[in-house]
Amino acid sequence: MSAPTIAWEAEADLVVIGGGVAGLTAARTASLRGLRVLTLSKGGPTDTSTQYAQGGIAVVAPHGDSVESHVHDTVGAGAGLCDPEAVRSIVEGGRDAVAALTDLGAVFDLGRDGQVSRTREGGHSVRRIIHAGGDATGAEVQRALNAAGLPVLFGAAAVEIVTGPGGVRGVVAVSDNGFGVVHTPAVLLATGGLGQLYACSTNPPGATADGIALALRAGAVVADLEFVQFHPTVLFTPGGVGRRPLISEAVRGEGAILVDSEGNPVTAGVHPRGDLAPRDVVSRAIAARMRALGTDHVYLDARAIDGFAQRFPTITASCLAAGVDPSTGLIPVAPAAHYQCGGVVTDTSGRTCVPGLYAAGEVARTGLHGANRLASNSLLEGLVVGERAGVAAAERLGEPTGVTDIPALSLPRIHRKALQELMTDHASVVRDGDGLRTAVLRLLQLLRSHPGDSAVRTLSDLEDAALTITARALLLAASARTESRGCHTRTDHPETRDDLRRSLPVRLGPDGRPQLTTDTPAPWPGLTVPRAS
C-alpha cells in the first residue's frame, strides 16, 4: 500500500498519546517546564480507563503504615517478578503525587474526624486506599486533570512513531482532518491497556493495546504481557459482553463476602486473607468453584454493609440497572479482564530503550506490578511516573526532528470478534499448553486466510492491527512461561519454577513478528533490563 496523503502538520517538543491520568499528568508537568506539548486522545475527555477506576489510590498512610509495608505488600502480590528498587521509588513518590493532584482541585472523601478516609483492598495489610465520591475515584482524578485546561486534540489517534538514527523524530496521526504529521523529538505512550482482547472486560472500548503495537513497531521491548489481571468481581449478567461494570475490591474491604450458588464461602481455606487475598488468588478460586459447580458466576453478599448506597453510589446504580438491590440481594459476579500488568519496558521515569520514546501508566512495565498488580497501585503509578516522564522529556530538547518518509499503512490484522473469542477461550484466567497452541495456530490461520487485507482505512482497522500483534506477543510469552505465577495460571504447569523467576522480553524480529529476546537493548541511563526480585 502507498503512504497516506498528509493533510496537516504540526510541531511539538513532546507528543503525549493518551488522555488519562498518566498522559495528562505528564503533559501538565512538561508544559509547566516550558515544553510545547501536544496531547492526542482518540476518544473524548472521559473515554479513558482512568474514568472508570473505582477503588482509589494506594498511598502510604500517615499513621500505622510505612513505605516498607506498602513495598512488602506490592512485592508479595507481584509473585517474584517485581523490581524492588522500582517499587520503592514509585511508592515513595505517592504522597507528593497525591498532593499535586489535590492542588489541582481533586477532592477525596473525608472520615468523621475530618481526615482523608482510607479503606483496605485485597493484598494490602492496612487501610491505605484513599478514594473520592465513594467509588468514583477515577472520575474525580479525570475531572481534576481535565479542568487543568491542557490542550488536547480529541478524536486523534497515533498511527506510527517515526524514528531516525538519534531516536524519535515524529508521529503520524489521523484525526477528523485526515492524516497528519507531528514533528517532535519526544513521544510519551499513555494509551492504557489491552482489555479489548477479551469478550468481557472492565476497560472502555478504546483499550485496544495501541501503545504496545506502536512501541513494538518503533523498536522498543515489551515484557510480562502474559500477566493479564482478571478482576475477580465484575457484575455478571447472562450473555453480557463488552465493558462490564466493576464491583470494587473496596466492597470486600468493607465486609462483603464471596459465596457460591449454594451459599458456601468461595475463598475459605484458600489464602490467609480470604476474600482480601491478591486478585489472582481470588480469581482462580472463583474460576475453580464455578468449574466445580458448573455455574458461570458466584455471588457477593454485601447486605451487612450499612449505608451501601452512600458509600458505593456508582456500584449501586450499576446493580439496580441490572435488577439487583445490593442492600437486600446477592450481587452476581464473575472474573473479567481488567489490567495489563506488563507492557513497554521502562525505567521509573518512563524511558524506553528507544531514545525519545517514553511510556507511563498501564501501557508501561516499570517493574512495579510484577506478575500481579496490587490493588489501587495503578493510579499511583500513573501519577508518579507520568510526572517523572514529563520532566524527563525535557532532555530531548534540541534533538533533531522532521518526518520526511511517511510509512505505508499496511498492518496485518484479524477481525476483533474472532480474536476476542480466541483469547477468551484459550488465554483467560486459566490456561494450558494445548489451548495456547490452538490459539496460536488459529490466529496464524486467520491471518493467512486474508493475506491482502492489511490496508489501514479506518480507526477500527488500526485498533484491530494493534490487538492482533499484541495477542501474538502475549501468546508467545504465555506459551514460553511453563509455570503458574501471579495472574498467569497454567493447569498443565501448576507450580512455579525458579528458572522462570524472570521477565520474558519480546520485540519484533526482522520479519515483523514478535519474538522472545535475550539481547539487552542499548539502554538510556538508568534503564534496567527486565529482571526479577
Side-chain angles (χ1 to χ4, degrees):
M1 180 186 175
S2 60
T5 301
I6 298 303
W8 55 273
E9 292 187 60
E11 293 185 2
D13 298 320
L14 169 65
V15 172
V16 173
I17 304 173
V21 58
L24 293 185
T25 299
R28 180 174 182 270
T29 301
S31 295
L32 290 174
R33 282 158 177 76
L35 274 67
R36 299 170 300 161
V37 181
L38 176 61
T39 299
L40 306 178
S41 178
K42 67 178 181 179
T46 59
D47 293 329
T48 68
S49 292
T50 298
Q51 175 73 22
Y52 295 102
Q54 289 181 351
I57 304 172
V59 60
V60 175
H63 306 292
D65 196 8
S66 66
V67 168
E68 290 297 331
S69 176
H70 193 170
V71 170
H72 179 270
D73 291 346
T74 299
V75 171
L81 288 192
C82 293
D83 181 332
E85 295 174 11
V87 174
R88 178 175 301 280
S89 173
I90 293 170
V91 166
E92 286 177 341
R95 286 184 180 175
D96 287 344
V98 170
L101 189 62
T102 303
D103 289 343
L104 269 180
V107 179
F108 295 97
D109 296 336
L110 303 180
R112 294 179 180 178
D113 59 359
Q115 300 301 307
V116 173
S117 178
R118 294 174 186 266
T119 191
R120 184 182 168 203
E121 295 181 349
H124 289 272
S125 55
V126 301
R127 299 173 70 93
R128 65 167 63 98
I129 315 300
I130 65 174
H131 46 82
D135 56 0
T137 308
E140 176 61 10
V141 171
Q142 190 73 52
R143 182 203 64 77
L145 289 167
N146 286 346
L150 299 165
V152 180
L153 182 58
F154 294 109
V159 176
E160 200 80 353
I161 296 167
V162 180
T163 61
V168 169
R169 296 183 66 92
V171 178
V172 178
V174 61
S175 70
D176 292 340
N177 294 324
F179 288 97
V181 169
V182 186
H183 306 284
T184 181
V187 171
L188 170 70
L189 300 172
T191 53
L194 47 67
Q196 293 303 313
L197 271 180
Y198 296 89
C200 286
S201 168
T202 64
N203 293 183
T208 52
D210 303 351
I212 298 296
L214 288 167
L216 283 171
R217 295 199 299 267
V221 175
V222 302
D224 299 340
L225 287 187
E226 65 270 36
F227 300 111
V228 179
Q229 187 179 82
F230 285 76
H231 198 288
T233 53
V234 173
L235 184 63
F236 174 84
T237 55
V241 295
R243 195 192 78 79
R244 304 301 302 150
L246 179 69
I247 308 298
S248 170
E249 210 150 336
V251 174
R252 281 172 281 141
E254 298 294 338
I257 300 170
L258 280 166
V259 296
D260 62 23
S261 58
E262 298 177 354
N264 299 313
V266 172
T267 61
V270 173
H271 191 277
R273 289 180 178 170
D275 288 350
L276 287 175
R279 288 175 176 171
D280 63 313
V281 175
V282 180
S283 288
R284 278 197 302 273
I286 292 173
R289 187 62 58 89
M290 292 191 304
R291 193 163 53 248
L293 296 178
T295 59
D296 49 13
H297 65 282
V298 295
Y299 295 95
L300 195 59
D301 186 352
R303 293 175 293 182
I305 299 177
D306 292 332
F308 185 96
Q310 289 71 41
R311 173 65 178 85
F312 301 108
T314 306
I315 293 171
T316 298
S318 295
C319 289
L320 292 175
V324 177
D325 184 347
S327 65
T328 60
L330 301 179
I331 306 171
V333 295
H338 181 57
Y339 196 86
Q340 164 190 319
C341 295
V344 185
V345 177
T346 74
D347 67 4
T348 55
S349 290
R351 299 181 183 93
T352 74
C353 62
V354 178
L357 180 62
Y358 306 79
E362 187 173 355
V363 72
R365 184 270 183 205
T366 61
L368 175 65
H369 306 309
N372 181 49
R373 176 176 68 88
L374 182 66
S376 287
N377 269 357
S378 52
L379 290 176
L380 167 72
E381 183 182 43
L383 289 167
V384 173
V385 181
E387 180 177 9
R388 292 177 180 176
V391 173
E395 66 202 2
R396 291 289 293 175
L397 289 173
E399 293 293 333
T401 65
V403 178
T404 54
D405 295 323
I406 309 300
L409 298 184
S410 181
L411 302 173
R413 63 183 183 277
I414 63 176
H415 190 274
R416 190 174 313 187
K417 188 173 185 295
L419 186 60
Q420 289 174 337
E421 291 176 352
L422 183 151
M423 296 297 288
T424 300
D425 289 344
H426 302 299
S428 191
V429 179
V430 179
R431 307 159 177 179
D432 61 44
D434 289 342
L436 292 170
R437 280 189 291 274
T438 297
V440 170
L441 293 174
R442 178 60 178 155
L443 194 156
L444 292 175
Q445 182 184 44
L446 289 169
L447 283 173
R448 289 167 183 156
S449 65
H450 301 285
D453 188 21
S454 59
V456 175
R457 302 179 183 88
T458 66
L459 176 60
S460 181
D461 291 342
L462 188 64
E463 291 177 332
D464 288 353
L467 288 170
T468 299
I469 195 172
T470 301
R472 297 182 72 174
L474 190 160
L475 291 170
L476 175 66
S479 299
R481 187 169 290 283
T482 50
E483 65 163 357
S484 291
R485 182 186 296 275
C487 49
H488 171 72
T489 301
R490 293 271 303 253
T491 56
D492 54 340
H493 295 284
E495 305 298 326
T496 57
R497 289 173 46 179
D498 287 342
D499 62 322
L500 285 175
R501 194 175 179 223
R502 56 187 175 85
S503 292
L504 300 176
V506 175
R507 69 189 321 167
L508 289 192
D511 59 358
R513 300 178 182 179
Q515 63 180 27
L516 295 173
T517 178
T518 56
D519 295 336
T520 301
W524 283 54
L527 177 62
T528 58
V529 176
R531 62 185 177 86
S533 57

